[in-house]
Amino acid sequence: APGGVDFCEEHPDQGADVIVGGTRNVLEAAAPHRARVVLFSSDYIFDGAAGPYGEEATPRPISAYGRAKLAAESLVQAYPHGHLIVRTTAVFSWTPGNMNFAMQVHERLRSGRPLPAANDQWCNPTLAEYLADACLRLTLSPDCGTFNIVGRDRMPRSELAAALARVMALDPALIQAVPTSELHQKARRPLQGGLRTDKLL
């Protein structure tokens, strides 16, 4: 997908057009109505050296995707009519046809194929329905600014994959816990990632 992490790394201009250009279009449409704008961002704006990160941590993106998300945040922060920047990570849901992490696990394991998953990429698994509910509550409040909305638990992606397999009654032994270096992903990932939710609480 044009907004995907590895796609952006290979096509940074096109990725920026979608993420930054799309944000600019929304802001231009919202401004005449003085509407508050909500932007979804990511822990990929950080380098993963010292996570989990609070809202005030200094961004240091290490991928084209992270740089585009940070640029979009900067546009929204300069918008004069109020904004919410919602940072999240590892969003999953039961959505057949979608390629969120849960559905990747389901597709691979139900056919009996193993799935390599990073044992050194830490994240907060975030159920999409929880994220939506928390965002709705924020938008109904007068709050503005940056908020982290993630699940409470923090774990390596390999543990998330195994947990998802068990919930789906699939074989967690098919999850192959490997270091990121063995996945040959095109974009660098923040390893000690994840977000703190002190502000939301």
Side-chain angles (χ1 to χ4, degrees):
V5 180
D6 289 329
F7 181 94
C8 286
E9 202 65 25
E10 291 194 292
H11 308 90
D13 292 341
Q14 191 172 345
D17 283 346
V18 171
I19 295 171
V20 185
T23 299
R24 186 177 290 111
N25 291 341
V26 169
L27 294 173
E28 290 174 356
H33 305 283
R34 298 179 174 269
R36 189 170 47 155
V37 168
V38 181
L39 172 73
F40 286 93
S41 191
S42 166
D43 66 340
Y44 278 39
I45 67 167
F46 300 107
D47 62 10
Y53 295 93
E55 285 87 350
E56 304 307 318
T58 301
R60 291 188 181 87
I62 55 174
S63 66
Y65 175 86
R67 289 188 290 274
K69 281 291 189 184
L70 185 57
E73 284 196 14
S74 296
L75 287 177
V76 170
Q77 286 164 349
Y79 175 74
H81 305 301
H83 71 270
L84 289 167
I85 293 172
V86 174
R87 293 177 182 157
T88 191
T89 185
V91 178
F92 69 95
S93 66
W94 177 257
T95 314
N98 182 281
M99 285 309 291
N100 73 72
F101 194 57
M103 301 315 300
Q104 292 178 45
V105 170
H106 182 261
E107 289 300 312
R108 290 291 287 267
L109 270 58
R110 74 170 183 168
S111 64
R113 293 178 293 154
L115 177 68
N119 60 10
D120 55 355
Q121 289 182 27
W122 287 74
C123 66
N124 300 82
T126 307
L127 184 65
E129 290 79 0
Y130 164 74
L131 175 62
D133 180 68
C135 286
L136 178 60
R137 285 187 283 116
L138 268 180
T139 57
L140 293 174
S141 78
D143 292 327
C144 289
T146 300
F147 292 85
N148 294 339
I149 301 179
V150 295
R152 181 181 307 162
D153 298 322
R154 183 171 174 264
M155 64 185 68
R157 287 185 178 266
S158 56
E159 288 187 19
L160 169 57
L164 289 167
R166 288 190 290 271
V167 167
M168 296 174 185
L170 298 169
D171 185 3
L174 288 171
I175 302 299
Q176 300 175 334
V178 298
T180 294
S181 59
E182 292 188 15
L183 295 177
H184 307 294
Q185 294 170 314
K186 293 176 174 57
R188 290 177 63 196
R189 263 62 169 183
L191 299 185
Q192 286 297 323
L195 298 168
R196 294 170 50 184
T197 57
D198 304 347
K199 185 175 176 180
L200 190 64
L201 298 174

